């Protein structure tokens, strides 16, 4: 008996590996944080916050915690006064960076075409 290959749209959200993983990167900050951490060895919270000047501290915290939960970022707390916290990308996160770089290059190469298409679409309404 030949086993039928499952199609992506046959999976519900809980079972779909593509949706489960890509849902993480639909937010505004995760990809940017991974790119920045991929270029640095370790960074403190305030260094990341300064690097991404338009992110709130709360959103940076929420995004870093989410990336940590997924195993893409490690957080190390040093028992000092005041406590020092450093973030670094994990090997799993590093394995994702080349794919993000490819997507970033595609976006840069096609930005003008996409903008022109959006203008054309808006005019046709």
């Amino acid at each position: 008996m030949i086993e039928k290959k499952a199609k992506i749209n046959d999976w519900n959200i809980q079972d779909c590996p593509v949706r489960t993983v890509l849902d993480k990167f639909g937010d505004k900050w995760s990809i940017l944080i991974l790119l920045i951490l991929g270029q640095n060895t370790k960074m403190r919270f305030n260094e990341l916050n300064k690097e991404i000047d338009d992110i709130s501290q709360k959103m940076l915290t929420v995004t870093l915690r989410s990336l940590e939960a997924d195993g893409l970022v490690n957080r190390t707390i040093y028992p000092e006064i005041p406590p020092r916290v450093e973030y670094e990308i994990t090997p799993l996160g590093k394995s994702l960076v080349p794919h993000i770089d490819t997507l970033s290059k595609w976006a840069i190469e096609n930005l003008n075409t996409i903008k022109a298409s959006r203008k054309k679409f808006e005019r046709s309404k």
Side-chain angles (χ1 to χ4, degrees), residues 2 9 11 21 23 43 52 55 60 92 98 105 114 118:
I2 298 174
N9 61 356
W11 294 324
V21 173
D23 183 51
M43 292 185 78
I52 312 168
I55 189 171
L60 180 57
L92 180 63
K105 288 174 187 168
I114 291 169
R118 288 176 182 169

Side-chain angles (χ1 to χ4, degrees), residues 23-93:
D23 183 51
K24 168 67 60 194
F25 305 111
D27 70 52
K28 188 174 180 180
W29 305 110
S30 293
I31 289 176
L32 183 57
I33 290 170
L34 287 172
L35 285 172
I36 291 168
L37 287 175
Q39 295 172 356
N40 299 279
T41 51
K42 293 181 181 180
M43 292 185 78
R44 295 179 73 169
F45 183 89
N46 285 335
E47 291 174 319
L48 275 167
N49 203 19
K50 286 177 187 173
E51 186 78 18
I52 312 168
D53 61 354
D54 57 340
I55 189 171
S56 69
Q57 288 188 353
K58 179 180 180 180
M59 187 50 62
L60 180 57
T61 299
V62 167
T63 306
L64 285 167
R65 293 288 183 152
S66 179
L67 292 170
E68 182 183 8
D70 285 348
L72 301 170
V73 169
N74 277 332
R75 183 174 76 130
T76 305
I77 303 170
Y78 296 93
E80 302 171 353
I81 298 176
R84 178 170 49 110
V85 180
E86 290 182 339
Y87 296 90
E88 64 183 323
I89 196 166
T90 65
L92 180 63

Side-chain angles (χ1 to χ4, degrees), residues 25 30-31 34-35 93 96-105:
F25 305 111
S30 293
I31 289 176
L34 287 172
L35 285 172
L96 180 58
V97 170
H99 303 287
I100 296 171
D101 280 338
T102 301
L103 179 60
S104 298
K105 288 174 187 168

